[in-house]
């Protein structure tokens, strides 16, 4: 929260490195923490970028978020708003500092959304 509040209050858009080429993918999985019920401002930097929006156009987006009790916060709504030309599937909320309330919860979520998981 030490970083979240000042960034949100100033409507910051922290700089990020460029994404790798996503043209070979139909589905993209993104993850982020929830800070005070909201996505970190760096995700606004990412998802407001016209190049990123173009790269994700027509793709299926899955997202997960770690949180301390606020669930997905406003992230589902915000990702849907920022990527209107993408197919946004329901996100997975992972409660707790490590976000791993149960490692078994991640595999079924991925598999039910068409992502094959190898190994154990």
């Amino acid at each position: 929260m030490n970083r979240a509040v000042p960034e949100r209050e100033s409507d910051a858009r922290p700089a990020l490195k460029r994404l790798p080429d996503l043209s070979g993918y139909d589905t993209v999985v993104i993850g982020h923490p929830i800070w005070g019920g909201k996505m970190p401002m760096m995700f606004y930097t990412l998802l407001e970028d016209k190049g990123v929006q173009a790269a994700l156009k027509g793709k299926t987006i899955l997202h997960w978020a770690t949180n301390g009790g606020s669930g997905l916060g406003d992230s589902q709504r915000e990702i849907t708003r920022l990527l209107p030309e993408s197919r946004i599937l329901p996100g997975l909320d992972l409660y707790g500092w490590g976000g791993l309330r149960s490692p078994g919860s991640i595999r079924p979520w991925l598999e039910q959304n068409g992502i094959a998981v190898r190994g154990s």
Side-chain angles (χ1 to χ4, degrees):
M1 291 296 273
N2 291 341
R3 180 175 176 178
V5 173
E7 284 186 2
R8 195 171 341 155
E9 287 176 352
S10 68
D11 202 27
R13 296 299 187 269
L16 298 174
K17 293 182 179 180
R18 293 188 60 79
L19 284 180
D21 179 15
L22 300 174
S23 62
Y25 300 94
D26 295 324
T27 301
V28 176
V29 180
I30 59 174
H32 54 84
I34 294 292
W35 290 347
K38 308 229 176 255
M39 292 189 305
M41 297 309 290
M42 67 187 85
F43 276 84
Y44 287 90
T45 302
L46 176 71
L47 301 178
E48 289 173 347
D49 182 277
K50 298 300 181 199
V52 170
Q53 290 175 349
L56 296 176
K57 180 179 179 178
K59 296 190 183 305
T60 298
I61 308 297
L62 289 167
H63 77 103
W64 55 266
T66 59
N67 68 86
S70 59
L72 292 173
D74 67 357
S75 63
Q76 185 79 33
R77 183 187 75 239
E78 287 294 277
I79 292 170
T80 300
R81 179 181 69 80
L82 293 166
L83 298 174
E85 296 188 66
S86 299
R87 179 176 174 239
I88 313 300
L89 297 181
L92 176 66
D93 104 78
L94 298 169
Y95 175 76
W97 286 107
L100 299 177
R101 63 176 169 203
S102 165
S105 67
I106 297 169
R107 178 183 290 255
W109 174 74
L110 289 169
E111 289 174 346
Q112 84 182 39
N113 286 293
I115 306 290
V117 180
R118 289 181 259 172
S120 52

